[in-house]
Amino acid sequence: MPATRVSPERVAMKQIATDEGDIIIPVTGSDNQSDRGCCSSCCSLFLWFLSFLLIICTFPFSLLACLRVVQEYERAVIFRLGRLLSGGAKGPGIFFIIPCLDNYTKVDLRTISFDIPPQEILSKDSVTVTVDAVVYFNVTNPTIAICNVVNFNNATRLLAQTTLRNVLGTKNMSEILTEREIISQQMQQILDHATDPWGIRVERVEVKDVRLPVQLQRAMAAEAEAAREARAKVIAAEGERNASRSLKEAADVISESSSALQLRYLQSLTSISAEKNSTIIFPLPIDMIGGFLPPPQQQ
């Protein structure tokens, strides 16, 4: 049987306890890692001694370099000789650092908003649209945001652009125009799930604008105008039909009484005289002038 080769390198997991939670960091080492740890411990003790000696010798001026202040909305992630300090991020208020050993990074916990640049997207029905949106997010765990990603702000921006293109690529043009709220909620859930390992929470995503090509806008405007004209014709025809039914019913009522037609005639004269017209036309029934006409000649 062939011999199995075992790599001398071993991968261990280092767990660091912080206020925000435990952070597990993979650590790769070799068999002589203990020797290297002893050397680094000796160097660390020497640097500690030298740093405190300088601080004591330059006291109280050394306090200007040792004391740091972070605001209420900020946290400081401290690394001592390249290693994350236990206890999590410091702040708000005053905290103490060793100038020669410590390096710290401030993280803003306030809500950050940014505009997604306009993205040309091919929709599901092969229509090219230009869409831009706004994303609101904040840092919930400063320690993870610094340790797990190089630049969490830039990474969130790039992820938002990609998510916008992926989500809108599965929608039709009509869905993009009418379902903005659903699209925003879907993007917010996807981004929040993807940025959770980075210590970032996406609060809100809003689709700001959807721009269509000019030719498509003209076609949609012509389609909407034709639809409105069709509805107007249907409404006008419905009105004519209702009016004709009402006139028929009125004619049936008037035909039941001979004086009703005369009263309607007098009402018409009253409305004509109210308009101060100089000419009034009196319609006469043919029966009234039948007696004045000569009798027809007999052949």
Side-chain angles (χ1 to χ4, degrees), residues 35-232:
D35 297 336
R36 296 180 181 178
C38 293
C39 294
S40 76
S41 299
C42 295
C43 294
S44 300
L45 291 175
F46 176 74
L47 292 175
W48 267 81
F49 176 76
L50 183 61
S51 299
F52 277 105
L53 183 62
L54 291 175
I55 291 173
I56 294 173
C57 293
T58 58
F59 188 83
F61 301 101
S62 59
L63 293 178
L64 299 176
C66 295
L67 295 180
R68 291 291 183 268
V69 178
V70 291
Q71 305 297 328
E72 181 68 29
Y73 52 84
E74 292 178 337
R75 297 295 183 270
V77 180
I78 304 175
F79 295 90
R80 180 162 296 168
L81 293 176
R83 297 181 179 180
L84 181 66
L85 286 184
S86 60
K90 305 298 181 181
I94 300 176
F95 62 95
F96 182 84
I97 65 171
I98 303 175
C100 300
L101 304 180
D102 294 346
N103 184 20
Y104 73 97
T105 303
K106 288 184 180 181
V107 180
D108 198 333
L109 302 183
R110 293 176 295 182
T111 299
I112 302 173
S113 62
F114 64 90
D115 292 332
I116 300 178
Q119 304 290 318
E120 290 187 359
I121 300 168
L122 185 64
S123 63
K124 189 176 181 180
D125 51 353
S126 301
V127 178
T128 303
V129 295
T130 303
V131 183
D132 55 352
V134 183
V135 179
Y136 301 87
F137 73 95
N138 66 334
V139 179
T140 57
N141 195 324
T143 305
I144 297 178
I146 296 299
C147 295
N148 290 8
V149 63
V150 176
N151 189 341
F152 63 86
N153 196 351
N154 190 28
T156 306
R157 292 173 184 268
L158 296 177
L159 182 61
Q161 295 180 19
T162 307
T163 305
L164 178 65
R165 299 179 69 90
N166 293 338
V167 171
L168 296 184
T170 60
K171 303 290 184 180
N172 296 326
M173 185 192 63
S174 59
E175 295 176 350
I176 295 175
L177 296 176
T178 58
E179 299 180 358
R180 293 191 180 186
E181 188 68 24
I182 298 176
I183 294 173
S184 299
Q185 293 178 0
Q186 185 177 359
M187 286 187 58
Q188 189 268 336
Q189 293 175 0
I190 295 174
L191 287 175
D192 192 27
H193 179 72
T195 57
D196 185 65
W198 302 346
I200 295 173
R201 181 173 64 91
V202 178
E203 298 178 353
R204 191 178 183 88
V205 179
E206 291 292 340
V207 178
K208 188 167 63 173
D209 190 16
V210 178
R211 290 188 291 273
L212 303 176
V214 178
Q215 296 179 354
L216 183 59
Q217 293 180 9
R218 293 175 180 174
M220 294 178 63
E223 181 182 1
E225 184 178 359
R228 286 193 296 268
E229 290 180 356
R231 288 196 298 268

Side-chain angles (χ1 to χ4, degrees), residues 265 269 280-284:
Y265 170 67
L269 291 180
I280 299 177
I281 300 175
F282 294 92
L284 296 176

Side-chain angles (χ1 to χ4, degrees), residues 3-20:
T4 303
R5 183 179 178 182
V6 180
S7 176
E9 296 185 353
R10 300 191 306 271
V11 178
M13 304 301 292
K14 179 181 179 182
Q15 184 174 1
I16 300 177
T18 62
D19 293 341
E20 295 85 358

